[in-house]
Amino acid sequence: MRIAIIGAGSAGITAAYHFLKETGIQVDLYEKGNDIHSRQRNEVMSGFGGAGTYSDGKLTLTTEYGGWLTDYMSERELEVLIEEADDIWKNVSGVLELDSKSNYEAVKDLEYSCSRQNLKLYPAKIRHLGTENCLLFIRKMYEMFGQSPHIKIHCNSEVVDLIVDGDRVTGLRTTENGETVEREYDKIIAAVGRSGNSWMQGIVRKYSLGYDLNPVDIGVRVEVPRSVTDHFTNQLYEFKIKYYTNGFEDEVRTFCVNPGGFVAIERNKDNLLTVNGHSYKNRKSDNTNFALLVSTKFTEPFDEPLKYGEYIARLANMLAGGDNIIIQRYGDLTRGRRSTKKRIEKNFVHPTLPDAMPGDLSFVLPYRYISDLTETIERLNTVMPGMSDPNTLLYGVEVKFYSVRLKVDGKMRSANLENLYCVGDGAGLTRGIIQASVSGLIAAKDILGE
Ligand SMILES: Cc1cc2nc3c(=O)[nH]c(=O)nc-3n(C[C@H](O)[C@H](O)[C@H](O)COP(=O)(O)OP(=O)(O)OC[C@H]3O[C@@H](n4cnc5c(N)ncnc54)[C@H](O)[C@@H]3O)c2cc1C
């Protein structure tokens, strides 16, 4: 059997790994970016390993976050698959211990104090690989595939189109060394990630694939002294908290918490800059950073959440001088004034991204977002005193773009095209390493008839 996997990110790699021990099949793994040895650090979204490669590899071992796979299977089924995917990451990376040294009673107390404030805390097991071990995992996978007689890696090889006969996919068209090549396959797994958004949308349009819209998440990255959050992060590593605002009844959530971490700029397609954060296993700052995101789902007549998020991010880039993101003290935001270089220098919390441009986020984010974010920060302050201190830093904007959600069944099979599987972030099904891996695993298992 001939199998093609499009995209060598978490989903594609996990699928390929599942085929590693199978004989009698030929797997071609296509990646439009560089191989792992020539891939540069600033190639964040693309290249062998995908978007997770230079992340700090926080594996969130929960069904609650990181994707929407519970829409396709029961919680219990997903839990079993998460365990299986985690085993792969654990065994190949060699990071055996979990980061949540949870004391059951202490976590229950935190949940209890949150509930009093209408904050919903989701305790989750976390395996924190750290940026260095995440890269090690990807390198090992690359070596293993390289040594396998039936897995072939094609880097710098962009799949431009599928070959479709009636309602069946029979192959693909790719560019290699500037030449277009066509190959036939029995099964194709599309695992193109967020950087493959526009490719996926082209496929959706061309072959009339069914889809639903996902929300767009827009907000800021918050940076506080570690002492403000340590009582949570010492127990949970990452606190995942949801809040529904009184003002607009919007869902606001914390995301990607980095105790001792660093704020980073994410360079997206067409030089669009957004904010992100990461942390190392062994190098720590004095701060904790995390994203605070407002989820918005558009209905009609406007149905382009990606465009909306991009528009807001471009506005922030423009006001930050073109090629930067904005930093603002919380105290300046609430007093209605911009932050300046001087105010940031004098600030008690020292930014871990010192080159960010001091400015005013209220010129960027609509009132609804500012109101949602400030209300949530004030609410968080009740369980993490110090959160709403004027010295708290906000970086903007952080936007999570999710692809349109392709119509698939519980085995990740396209509802419209036979022999096509759509998995991971690019199919709008997941938004984290572990659930992306799980979706790749499900497709691989189905192909093998498991
Ligand atoms: C900075 C950063 C930090 C993150 N930190 C974490 C974290 O700590 N924990 C966590 O769980 N998640 C994290 N994430 C999210 C996580 O990386 C993604 O959810 C995950 O990588 C999704 O996996 P994927 O395989 O679906 O897509 P990706 O990892 O994006 O891989 C898709 C691959 O497909 C390739 N591709 C696209 N189109 C084509 C084409 N036409 N032909 C050939 N190849 C193509 C791309 O180049 C890419 O390499 C982070 C993301 C970023 C950007």
Side-chain angles (χ1 to χ4, degrees):
M1 190 174 3
R2 291 149 309 165
I3 299 159
I5 302 173
I6 312 172
S10 309
I13 284 182
T14 312
Y17 182 81
H18 197 70
F19 292 125
L20 202 58
K21 292 185 195 81
E22 289 298 319
T23 50
I25 56 172
Q26 180 58 46
V27 180
D28 284 335
L29 177 54
Y30 291 95
E31 170 52 53
K32 69 175 175 183
N34 282 322
D35 67 53
I36 194 61
H37 300 301
S38 32
R39 183 176 174 179
Q40 302 291 311
R41 281 222 161 233
N42 58 3
E43 295 163 4
V44 176
M45 303 300 289
S46 211
F48 191 91
T53 308
Y54 298 122
S55 82
D56 65 338
K58 235 179 289 118
L59 309 184
T60 310
L61 308 175
T62 171
T63 57
E64 296 277 353
Y65 272 79
W68 297 274
L69 292 181
T70 43
D71 292 351
Y72 304 89
M73 63 200 77
S74 70
E75 292 234 346
R76 183 63 203 134
E77 281 168 317
L78 184 55
E79 269 167 19
V80 171
L81 287 161
I82 285 179
E83 225 168 274
E84 191 172 341
D86 177 45
D87 275 348
I88 299 174
W89 281 85
K90 178 174 79 179
N91 295 332
V92 176
S93 71
V95 178
L96 303 180
E97 83 281 8
L98 289 175
D99 256 277
S100 34
K101 311 160 193 71
S102 310
N103 165 339
Y104 180 79
E105 290 301 324
V107 173
K108 281 280 152 216
D109 282 351
L110 292 174
E111 259 185 290
Y112 187 71
S113 55
C114 282
S115 72
R116 221 185 281 143
Q117 302 298 332
N118 279 334
L119 295 164
K120 174 88 182 113
L121 174 71
Y122 296 89
K125 280 196 287 179
I126 304 272
R127 186 178 309 288
H128 179 214
L129 302 180
T131 310
E132 54 280 60
N133 290 317
C134 196
L135 196 56
L136 179 77
F137 173 91
I138 306 287
R139 290 208 170 112
K140 282 196 179 168
M141 284 291 193
Y142 189 81
E143 273 167 33
M144 277 190 268
F145 297 163
Q147 284 160 9
S148 161
H150 62 272
I151 296 190
K152 187 158 183 225
I153 305 172
H154 303 253
C155 283
N156 300 112
S157 185
E158 178 166 13
V159 173
V160 285
D161 202 356
L162 301 174
I163 301 173
V164 175
D165 180 9
D167 57 2
R168 284 171 54 237
V169 173
T170 57
L172 54 74
R173 211 165 280 129
T174 177
T175 49
E176 285 175 1
N177 304 321
E179 280 189 27
T180 305
V181 184
E182 288 191 359
R183 294 202 181 93
E184 291 186 347
Y185 292 100
D186 299 300
K187 304 279 179 195
I188 293 184
I189 302 177
V192 294
R194 284 198 277 142
S195 63
N197 262 344
S198 44
W199 182 83
M200 205 73 198
Q201 276 176 20
I203 296 291
V204 165
R205 269 194 297 272
K206 185 166 178 186
Y207 300 108
S208 308
L209 304 187
Y211 66 91
D212 290 318
L213 288 177
N214 272 329
V216 58
D217 290 350
I218 298 176
V220 291
R221 190 151 280 262
V222 181
E223 189 165 47
V224 291
R226 284 192 76 164
S227 51
V228 171
T229 55
D230 267 355
H231 57 304
F232 275 78
T233 55
N234 286 347
Q235 298 300 335
L236 294 160
Y237 188 79
E238 168 149 37
F239 49 85
K240 291 193 173 291
I241 296 178
K242 260 187 207 167
Y243 175 63
Y244 287 92
T245 58
N246 290 328
F248 287 94
E249 295 188 357
D250 282 335
E251 180 194 299
V252 186
R253 65 188 176 105
T254 66
F255 176 72
C256 184
V257 181
N258 293 294
F262 296 83
V263 177
I265 291 183
E266 188 175 328
R267 206 168 273 277
N268 302 273
K269 188 166 69 86
D270 299 330
N271 269 339
L272 180 75
L273 304 189
T274 52
V275 188
N276 214 313
H278 65 115
S279 58
Y280 297 95
K281 191 90 182 160
N282 299 315
R283 191 180 138 218
K284 298 289 177 196
S285 74
D286 294 331
N287 297 345
T288 294
N289 69 68
F290 63 92
L292 204 56
L293 300 170
V294 182
S295 262
T296 310
K297 197 158 185 175
F298 293 102
T299 50
E300 53 145 15
F302 180 72
D303 64 353
E304 295 192 76
L306 294 178
K307 261 198 189 153
Y308 184 79
E310 188 178 329
Y311 193 90
I312 301 269
R314 287 234 181 267
L315 185 58
N317 294 170
M318 185 177 89
L319 294 179
D323 196 42
N324 208 341
I325 51 125
I326 291 178
I327 182 171
Q328 187 172 22
R329 295 172 66 249
Y330 184 65
D332 290 337
L333 178 72
T334 51
R335 283 181 64 179
R337 66 181 194 187
R338 70 170 290 176
S339 286
T340 58
K341 206 161 180 279
K342 223 174 179 170
R343 288 183 189 137
I344 296 288
E345 273 166 10
K346 271 183 16 199
N347 201 52
F348 273 178
V349 185
H350 296 295
T352 53
L353 184 63
D355 294 338
M357 181 61 69
D360 192 339
L361 289 163
S362 67
F363 279 121
V364 176
L365 292 165
Y367 170 70
R368 182 173 188 138
Y369 287 89
I370 295 283
S371 161
D372 283 341
L373 293 169
T374 49
E375 188 186 324
T376 310
I377 288 173
E378 296 296 334
R379 202 42 85 101
L380 286 173
N381 189 63
T382 59
V383 291
M384 298 178 201
M387 185 60 73
S388 64
D389 190 87
N391 290 281
T392 291
L393 293 173
L394 307 180
Y395 297 83
V397 292
E398 182 139 346
V399 185
K400 296 294 166 216
F401 300 103
Y402 308 120
S403 316
V404 293
R405 188 175 329 175
L406 268 79
K407 284 221 156 63
V408 293
D409 65 10
K411 303 292 179 194
M412 308 293 114
R413 292 181 289 222
S414 158
N416 308 85
L417 285 177
E418 217 179 295
N419 301 329
L420 177 67
Y421 291 77
C422 301
V423 299
D425 289 18
L429 302 169
T430 67
R431 54 183 182 193
I433 294 171
I434 276 293
Q435 288 211 29
S437 299
V438 165
S439 66
L441 201 54
I442 295 172
K445 279 172 183 279
D446 191 61
I447 289 173
L448 295 178
E450 289 172 13

